[in-house]
């Protein structure tokens, strides 16, 4: 919310010396997030004056239209002679009043003005547009044309209010009252200890039977609706300069007088309004839920199909507006430039709509507006009548209209919200003694009515006694503009923030000795360090996915990964589900980085995935006034989906760069498998690797990763090259590879913290062996057999060659060559010992896999 300091001063008598920075510091101390203070016109220097166009000469022979103008600027140029100016704009004519900057002036951005020769003429200054003066969008994208009554030679800096300070406040979701000048003025008055001139304190006529007919069919969705009618508006009336400038300063574009007035009052009081062309409304204005399939064309020109939960404004024809979001085109007030269509009669709507209903409608139709932003965060329901009156007053004043005597007001039954709070509750929350008097004073400053229950009891007893043994409690009636105050903790927060968060004492907690990271946390960090050491870069992603991504990953229709947990209120309607795999986020990061020129990529992520159980459970709302019991925590955890931690990597491009040292090589499926081995080593788990086929991976280049859990083999992940179809669908680099593992299962079967291996001082004995097996036999099976047969003397085993030749080996056969390293911890091995171990390994391999020594 942008707050011009000049507008703020209308409601709070700030000291003349206070700057925007000073107000920013005060509001930040009070808990508002003032992000910046913009200094409008900080580098603007005159002379900048009002001029009247006397003559216009069209210059020919140039690529674009150019005009040579003479402009009367009065005595501002020191001579009283007309000023000669060259201008390319065409939205002004002879006799128009314009803004002229004269030589010697400086425009925003440090642009100095001087007389210069251009297009064969000498231009002594410039006729200005709103963009050149830093005023913002005025809707014309051309020269500023001032009202005819503007005085020639008048200082335009003062006239257009070009010098000001604007506070930009990031309003949190619970402080809808601060989406208005009124709300921020109230906070400013409290911060400075000054009185507030509340702009909503107006004389408002009561409802009567002569107002425009309104029927509210859904009081839960609309608990207050005020309608006022103004007739006889001049179609030639324009928004005055001061109103336009205030709208521009808060970030809104002036449109037409009626619309500008409703926007101005919304910014001033925080109450969204809507003006209907009375001549286009047919019959009674109604408020109801939409019927499934109904349609409406909104003010942005889009036809929208309505949902049965949408709250709509109607007339006898059907919907004419999305309640609290946007009006309909059928009753739109014509722009003031279209005199034939412009209306002289308007109906003003000031209503209060349900927060949740407006938020869901805005999200459902992907239609966020200034009105919906305010209703979603909470609008003062009692400001509706005052906002309507303020709008009527401005239209009568500025457009010469007449306010009809009829006043329509619908108010659903309701009562103010009251909260009972212990007088010392803020003290106990903050750990600071504020005292009863301070608590009452601060709550009253916020706008609460505060009564003491003990005092009321004393009064009823004639003042002769006091409740003994009872707690001193306060009964607080919350102001209508603060719907976010719902319980004692909210009231305590108000007291604490107004007393100053910076005044709270800082006490560092004392952690008990002997506790550090858990085993799970240590493993998580070890895995991250190991993958980073292997050249991977961590790329954390949001846990939200769309269900369409599972089709893109080619998962089977009955794949368990397709069962997702859906969010009731997702950040994006396109990604409403929680992930069951880390790959969508990582592959998206891979695609984005590749598209931005980083083609050699190795990314990893460790994070939770979410697996819903067979039985859906609802978590209980736990009380916040006490620590939950073990049973409460257990019940809460039982209602949550399983959330195992996974680790995944993705690779593309070169794994080893080419250079003077060699050719380099591209990343391939073996790198993805090696990443899985790296993770398993850190977990101290024995990882089984065999040929597999699953979802997004290439069926001929996919490894299935297994571990043994409680004596049974379990698949914990896959690694390899992605299927070309998946690569094409997701827009990934060719031959992209990926790996994903269940890290929690690895931790469960692992040996815990890896132990450093013993180092023998005796020499190693190396033996090579080449075995011929059927082509379908996995190398992992041969390796496992060799390890078992070689016994405890085997230190390491490495596959260094795979050879296939039908002429030498036979059809459907391959040769696997291994390097075996033998070493004893207590002696030097003899040749016979090493050879015996090698032969034993070959014998087991021959028995298990049908392997035969090559040659």
């Amino acid at each position: 919310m942008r707050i011009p300091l000049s507008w703020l001063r209308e409601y709070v008598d700030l000291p003349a010396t206070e700057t925007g920075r000073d107000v920013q510091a005060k509001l930040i101390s009070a808990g508002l997030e003032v992000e910046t203070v913009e200094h409008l016109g900080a580098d603007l220097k005159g002379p900048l004056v009002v001029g009247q166009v006397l003559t216009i000469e069209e210059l020919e022979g140039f690529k674009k239209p150019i005009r040579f103008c003479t402009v009367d600027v009065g005595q501002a140029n020191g001579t009283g002679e007309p000023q000669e100016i060259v201008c390319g704009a065409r939205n002004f004519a002879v006799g128009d009043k314009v803004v002229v900057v004269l030589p010697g002036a400086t425009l925003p951005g440090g642009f100095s003005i001087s007389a210069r020769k251009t297009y064969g003429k000498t231009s002594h200054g410039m006729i200005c547009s709103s963009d050149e003066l830093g005023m913002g969008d005025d809707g014309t994208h051309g020269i500023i044309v001032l009202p005819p009554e503007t005085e020639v030679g008048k200082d335009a800096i003062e006239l257009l209010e070009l010098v000001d300070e604007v506070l930009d406040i990031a309003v949190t979701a619970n402080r809808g009252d601060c989406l208005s000048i009124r709300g921020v003025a109230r906070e400013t008055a409290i911060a400075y200890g000054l009185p507030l001139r509340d702009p909503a304190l107006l004389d408002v006529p009561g409802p009567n039977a002569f107002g425009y007919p309104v029927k509210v069919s859904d009081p839960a969705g609309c608990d207050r609706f005020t309608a006022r009618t103004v007739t006889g508006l001049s179609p030639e009336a324009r928004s005055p300069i001061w109103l336009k400038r205030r709208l521009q300063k808060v970030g809104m574009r002036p449109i037409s007088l009626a619309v500008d007035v409703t926007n101005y009052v919304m910014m001033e009081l925080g109450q969204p309004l809507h003006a209907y062309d009375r001549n286009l409304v047919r019959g009674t204005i109604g408020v109801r839920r939409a019927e499934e399939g109904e349609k409406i064309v909104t003010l942005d020109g889009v036809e929208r199909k309505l949902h049965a939960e949408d709250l709509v404004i109607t007339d006898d024809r059907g919907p004419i507006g999305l309640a609290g979001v946007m009006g309909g085109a059928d009753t739109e007030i014509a722009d003031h430039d279209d005199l034939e269509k412009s209306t002289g009669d308007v109906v003003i709507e000031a209503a209060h709509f349900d927060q949740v209903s407006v938020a869901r409608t805005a999200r459902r139709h992907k239609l966020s507006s200034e009105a919906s932003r305010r209703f979603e965060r909470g609008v003062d329901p009692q400001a509706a009548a005052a906002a309507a009156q303020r709008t009527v007053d401005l239209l009568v004043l500025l457009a010469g209209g007449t306010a009809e005597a009829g006043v329509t007001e619908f108010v659903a039954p309701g009562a103010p919200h009251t909260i009972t709070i212990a007088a010392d509750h803020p003290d106990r929350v903050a750990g600071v003694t504020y005292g009863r008097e301070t608590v009452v004073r601060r709550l009253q400053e916020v706008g609460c009515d505060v009564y003491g229950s003990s005092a009321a009891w004393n009064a009823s007893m004639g003042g002769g006694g006091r409740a003994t043994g009872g707690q001193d409690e306060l009964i607080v009636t919350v102001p209508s503009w603060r719907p976010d105050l719902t319980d004692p903790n909210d009231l305590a927060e108000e007291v604490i923030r107004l007393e100053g968060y910076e005044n709270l004492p800082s006490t560092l907690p004392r952690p008990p000795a002997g506790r550090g990271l858990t085993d799970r946390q240590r493993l998580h960090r070890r895995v991250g360090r190991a993958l980073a050491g292997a050249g991977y870069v961590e790329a954390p992603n949001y846990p939200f996915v769309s269900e369409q991504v599972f089709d893109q990953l080619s998962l089977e229709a009955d794949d368990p990964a397709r069962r997702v947990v859906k969010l009731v209120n997702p950040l994006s309607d396109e990604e409403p589900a929680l992930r069951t795999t880390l790959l969508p986020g990582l592959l998206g990061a891979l695609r984005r980085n590749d598209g931005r020129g980083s083609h050699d990529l190795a990314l990893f992520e460790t994070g939770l995935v979410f697996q819903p159980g067979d039985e859906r459970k609802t978590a209980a709302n736990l009380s916040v006034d006490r620590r939950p019991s073990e049973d409460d925590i257990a019940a809460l955890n039982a209602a949550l989906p399983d959330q195992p931690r996974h680790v995944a990597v993705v690779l593309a491009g070169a794994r080893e760069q080419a250079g003077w040292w060699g050719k380099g090589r591209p990343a391939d499926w073996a790198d993805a498998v090696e990443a899985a081995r790296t993770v398993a080593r850190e977990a101290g788990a024995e990882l089984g690797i065999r040929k597999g086929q699953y979802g997004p991976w290439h069926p001929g280049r996919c490894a299935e990763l297994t571990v043994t859990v409680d004596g049974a083999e379990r698949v914990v992940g896959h690694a390899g090259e992605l299927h070309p179809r998946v690569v094409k669908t997701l827009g990934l680099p060719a031959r992209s590879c990926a790996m994903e593992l269940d890290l929690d299962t690895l931790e469960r079967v692992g040996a815990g913290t890896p132990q450093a291996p013993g180092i023998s001082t005796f020499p190693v004995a190396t033996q090579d062996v080449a075995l011929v097996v059927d082509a379908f036999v996995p190398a992992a099976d041969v390796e496992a057999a060799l390890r078992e047969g070689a016994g405890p003397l085997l230190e390491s085993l490495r596959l260094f060659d795979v050879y296939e030749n039908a002429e030498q080996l036979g059809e459907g056969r391959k040769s696997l060559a291994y390097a075996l390293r033998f070493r004893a911890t207590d002696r030097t091995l003899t040749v016979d010992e090493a050879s015996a171990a090698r032969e034993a390994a070959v014998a087991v391999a021959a028995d298990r896999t049908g392997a035969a020594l090559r040659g």
Side-chain angles (χ1 to χ4, degrees):
M1 179 69 191
R2 291 169 57 84
I3 306 293
L5 191 59
S6 59
W7 198 351
L8 192 64
R9 288 182 182 273
E10 281 199 9
Y11 310 125
V12 184
D13 288 327
L14 294 172
T17 57
E18 286 295 283
T19 66
R21 294 290 184 190
D22 298 329
V23 177
Q24 178 189 29
K26 286 282 190 178
L27 293 180
I28 289 176
S29 178
L32 296 186
E33 187 178 343
V34 185
E35 294 185 325
T36 60
V37 178
E38 183 180 353
H39 298 270
L40 302 182
D43 49 359
L44 178 65
K45 185 179 72 170
L48 187 72
V49 299
V50 176
Q52 183 172 21
V53 180
L54 300 178
T55 65
I56 297 177
E57 176 188 350
E58 301 287 346
L59 301 182
E60 298 179 353
F62 301 103
K63 293 183 179 179
K64 63 179 182 178
I66 299 296
R67 311 167 99 185
F68 180 66
C69 310
T70 59
V71 185
D72 178 15
V73 295
Q75 296 298 319
N77 58 3
T79 66
E81 296 294 324
Q83 202 79 1
E84 296 179 341
I85 298 174
V86 175
C87 183
R90 308 192 65 78
N91 68 312
F92 64 96
V94 172
D96 282 346
K97 303 289 180 67
V98 294
V99 178
V100 179
V101 58
L102 301 178
T106 303
L107 293 182
F111 183 60
S112 298
I113 302 299
S114 60
R116 64 189 183 95
K117 190 169 184 177
T118 179
Y119 297 104
K121 302 284 186 178
T122 300
S123 182
H124 298 272
M126 188 168 71
I127 302 176
C128 298
S129 69
S130 60
D131 288 338
E132 290 163 340
L133 297 179
M135 294 171 57
D137 186 9
D138 64 354
T140 65
H141 302 291
I143 294 302
I144 301 170
V145 178
L146 300 171
E149 65 272 13
T150 310
E151 179 186 349
V152 171
K154 184 178 179 63
D155 183 6
I157 295 178
E158 179 183 352
L159 175 70
L160 299 177
E161 302 176 12
L162 297 179
V163 178
D164 202 350
E165 293 181 276
V166 179
L167 284 69
D168 194 353
I169 302 177
V171 179
T172 55
N174 65 317
R175 291 303 304 271
D177 60 305
C178 288
L179 286 173
S180 66
I181 304 295
R182 179 195 184 202
V184 176
R186 183 183 295 109
E187 291 294 319
T188 305
I190 296 172
Y192 279 91
L194 296 171
L196 169 70
R197 289 188 293 274
D198 191 342
L201 295 180
L202 302 174
D203 291 331
V204 179
N208 53 51
F210 312 113
Y212 197 93
V214 172
K215 180 182 179 181
V216 177
S217 302
D218 190 342
C222 175
D223 58 7
R224 190 177 293 259
F225 194 107
T226 299
R228 299 290 300 275
T229 304
V230 182
T231 60
L233 300 181
S234 171
E236 297 181 354
R238 302 290 186 269
S239 299
I241 293 174
W242 64 266
L243 192 149
K244 287 184 177 180
R245 287 297 294 133
R246 286 192 170 179
L247 289 178
Q248 288 174 325
K249 288 177 184 179
V250 298
M252 301 197 76
R253 179 173 64 88
I255 299 174
S256 65
L257 178 58
V259 176
D260 291 350
V261 166
T262 58
N263 286 337
Y264 176 86
V265 175
M266 176 178 67
M267 290 297 172
E268 183 181 52
L269 302 182
Q271 168 66 52
L273 302 109
H274 189 71
Y276 300 95
D277 187 331
R278 182 178 179 179
N279 298 325
L280 298 179
V281 179
R282 300 290 181 262
T284 301
I285 293 178
V287 183
R288 61 169 171 83
R289 297 290 171 174
E291 296 176 7
E292 194 69 43
E294 280 188 309
K295 295 181 179 179
I296 183 176
V297 178
T298 45
L299 290 175
D300 56 358
V302 177
E303 183 179 78
R304 303 179 186 278
K305 186 176 180 180
L306 300 178
H307 188 276
E309 292 184 5
D310 290 335
L311 192 67
V312 293
I313 309 299
T314 65
D315 65 3
D316 292 348
R317 296 166 298 179
I320 59 173
L322 284 173
V325 181
M326 185 174 286
D330 290 344
T331 56
E332 179 182 9
I333 295 177
D335 189 273
H336 55 58
D337 292 331
D338 192 350
L339 294 179
E340 294 182 0
K341 294 183 179 179
S342 60
T343 183
D345 303 335
V346 297
V347 177
I348 306 300
E349 166 208 305
H352 184 260
F353 301 112
D354 177 63
Q355 292 178 241
V356 175
S357 177
V358 172
R360 289 179 177 174
T361 296
R363 181 163 296 179
R364 190 179 296 119
H365 294 282
K366 298 180 176 61
L367 184 61
S368 179
S369 64
E370 291 289 345
S372 67
R373 284 186 65 216
R374 284 161 176 77
F375 280 121
E376 288 172 13
R377 289 161 174 79
V379 169
D380 181 1
Q382 295 187 15
Q389 182 63 43
R390 176 72 164 143
T391 304
V392 169
D393 292 343
L394 287 173
L395 289 176
V396 170
L397 174 67
L398 302 177
T402 302
E404 288 194 350
V407 177
T408 302
E409 188 170 38
F410 165 82
V411 180
H417 180 56
T418 61
I419 304 171
T420 300
I421 178 177
D424 64 346
H425 183 67
D427 300 9
R428 289 186 280 113
V429 170
V432 176
T433 302
Y434 294 121
R436 188 181 195 276
E437 181 180 347
T438 299
V439 171
V440 172
R441 175 172 55 84
R442 288 302 190 184
L443 292 179
Q444 288 176 338
E445 288 176 347
V446 171
C448 299
D449 290 330
V450 185
Y451 304 94
S453 59
S454 296
W457 184 85
N458 276 324
S460 67
M461 296 295 292
R466 178 174 178 83
T468 58
Q471 188 179 26
D472 185 9
E473 291 184 336
L474 302 176
I475 300 174
V476 181
T477 302
V478 174
S480 58
W481 57 82
R482 291 298 303 275
D484 58 305
L485 303 181
T486 60
D487 58 54
N489 287 324
D490 293 331
L491 300 180
E493 182 182 3
E494 292 299 296
V495 174
I496 295 168
R497 75 176 180 87
L498 294 179
E499 285 295 305
Y501 289 121
E502 67 276 11
N503 296 323
L504 294 177
S506 298
T507 305
L508 292 177
R510 295 181 179 179
R515 295 183 183 178
L517 299 176
T518 65
D519 291 339
R520 189 173 191 237
Q521 291 169 328
R522 289 192 181 96
L523 174 60
H524 181 200
R525 293 194 178 187
R526 288 202 310 273
V527 167
R529 285 194 294 265
L531 291 175
Y536 291 86
V537 176
E538 188 170 13
N541 295 281
Y542 287 115
F544 312 118
V545 297
S546 67
E547 293 184 89
Q548 288 72 29
V549 75
F550 302 123
D551 295 327
Q552 296 171 337
L553 293 176
S554 297
L555 299 187
E556 298 291 340
D558 59 348
D559 193 300
R562 285 183 176 270
R563 297 184 63 243
V564 296
V565 177
K566 287 189 177 181
L567 300 174
V568 175
N569 194 21
L571 290 178
S572 169
D573 292 335
E574 296 178 357
E575 295 181 332
L578 293 174
R579 65 189 179 191
T580 56
T581 167
L582 300 181
L583 290 184
L586 269 182
L587 293 177
L590 184 75
R591 179 179 61 250
R592 284 191 299 274
N593 283 276
D594 179 72
R596 294 170 184 172
S598 297
H599 303 302
D600 303 324
L601 297 163
L603 309 177
F604 83 94
E605 179 181 8
T606 59
L608 302 180
V609 298
F610 305 86
Q611 301 170 347
D614 296 330
E615 181 182 352
R616 181 177 177 181
K617 298 180 180 179
T618 302
N621 290 324
L622 301 182
S623 174
V624 297
D625 61 351
R626 58 180 176 81
R627 188 184 187 283
S629 66
E630 296 297 330
D631 291 340
D632 290 337
I633 296 175
L636 185 64
N637 289 332
L640 298 176
D642 291 335
Q643 301 174 54
R645 183 175 293 278
H646 281 203
V647 57
V649 306
V650 293
L651 305 99
R655 186 67 176 129
E656 296 177 3
Q657 296 290 335
W660 58 264
W661 53 84
K663 295 182 179 179
R665 68 173 183 85
D668 59 18
W669 63 269
D671 294 303
V673 173
E674 184 57 33
R677 287 195 178 102
T678 299
V679 174
R681 280 195 296 270
E682 293 300 323
E686 185 175 342
L687 189 67
I689 301 173
R690 66 189 181 203
K691 182 178 179 181
Q693 182 173 345
Y694 177 68
W697 280 277
H698 191 298
R701 298 167 188 156
C702 173
E704 190 173 72
L705 310 174
T706 65
V707 295
T708 301
V709 181
D710 297 330
E713 189 177 63
R714 179 187 296 181
V715 177
V716 292
H718 295 82
E721 183 180 319
L722 295 177
H723 197 288
R725 181 174 61 251
V726 173
V727 169
K728 181 179 180 180
T729 301
L730 294 177
L732 303 174
R735 308 298 293 269
S736 294
C737 301
M739 178 278 293
E740 183 167 10
L741 269 174
D742 184 340
L743 192 56
D744 280 359
T745 302
L746 285 183
E747 179 192 8
R748 178 181 170 188
V749 302
T753 305
Q755 301 297 317
I759 299 176
S760 174
T761 58
F762 295 96
V764 67
T766 303
Q767 297 270 354
D768 292 346
V769 60
L771 301 176
V772 179
V773 296
D774 292 330
F776 61 82
V777 175
D781 292 352
V782 177
E783 179 179 330
L786 289 173
R787 286 186 182 279
E788 182 178 342
L793 294 180
L794 181 66
E795 183 178 81
S796 66
L797 174 66
R798 180 175 62 87
L799 175 67
F800 66 86
D801 185 51
V802 179
Y803 178 70
E804 295 183 8
N805 188 310
E807 294 182 2
Q808 297 184 17
L809 304 178
E811 194 68 34
R813 303 280 281 177
K814 64 182 177 182
S815 171
L816 304 176
Y818 293 90
L820 293 78
R821 290 166 56 92
F822 298 98
R823 194 194 314 251
T825 59
D826 57 351
R827 67 187 186 283
T828 299
L829 292 178
T830 65
V831 174
D832 291 341
E833 286 178 309
S835 298
R838 171 182 177 274
E839 291 169 1
V842 171
V844 174
D847 181 57
R848 297 278 180 82
T849 66
L853 279 172
R854 182 179 170 188

